[in-house]
Amino acid sequence: MSEKVTREKVLAYVVRDGELLVFRHADNTYEEVGIQVPAGSVRPGEKPEDAVLREAQEETGLTGFTIVSKLGVTEYDMTPYRRELQRRHVFHLELAADTPQRWMSQEDHDGEQEPTRFECFWVPLQAAHILQSGQGALLGQLPE
């Protein structure tokens, strides 16, 4: 069995009027990928603060995100999906722009793979326990 690889990741809790910005993959079922918050990898030489703003924009198609605070760092073991330990830097973000309650977006992956289509939407913070693979671990750190 191969050794687990540790990857630096970021997660964005974008909060507006008591709601959390989430998405689902438009081309996969809930059973495959669940409900997620904007998240992704920290690139070599990139600060987590820069990575979380980039990932939020890439996955939602929106601009105007600002960091309210860093909520902490968690670790999540992705086994058996893949042999990866994710070290997640979790941030609370705000969004200046108005958005609809639900919209489609697409991440192009810098042309390195097929685009990923997302359906973005807002859920009440009280329902945020639906997040997949431990993404909700630091929701309790958000200010009330």
Side-chain angles (χ1 to χ4, degrees), residues 17-125:
D17 299 329
E19 292 187 312
L20 181 69
L21 177 58
V22 298
F23 67 83
R24 70 172 196 87
H25 287 252
D27 298 318
N28 300 87
T29 65
Y30 286 109
E31 292 85 357
E32 291 174 296
V33 292
I35 301 291
Q36 303 176 40
V37 293
S41 296
V42 178
R43 294 175 176 165
E46 187 177 36
K47 294 178 183 169
E49 292 81 1
D50 295 330
V52 75
L53 292 170
R54 176 182 51 76
E55 287 290 348
Q57 182 174 331
E58 286 176 356
E59 293 183 351
T60 66
L62 303 174
T63 58
F65 292 101
T66 55
I67 296 174
V68 176
S69 64
K70 183 172 184 177
L71 300 175
V73 178
T74 65
E75 289 192 346
Y76 187 81
D77 188 340
M78 293 295 290
T79 309
Y81 174 64
R82 63 176 166 248
R83 298 199 48 76
E84 177 178 291
L85 185 65
Q86 294 188 348
R87 187 167 184 269
R88 297 171 170 175
H89 302 262
V90 184
F91 292 88
H92 172 198
L93 303 185
E94 286 182 337
L95 178 60
D98 284 335
T99 67
Q101 188 65 29
R102 189 173 293 266
W103 70 95
M104 297 299 293
S105 71
Q106 176 173 296
E107 184 175 5
D108 293 324
H109 306 288
D110 300 323
E112 295 173 8
Q113 67 186 63
E114 285 297 309
T116 306
R117 297 181 329 118
F118 302 117
E119 179 183 20
C120 302
F121 52 101
W122 297 91
V123 296
L125 275 170

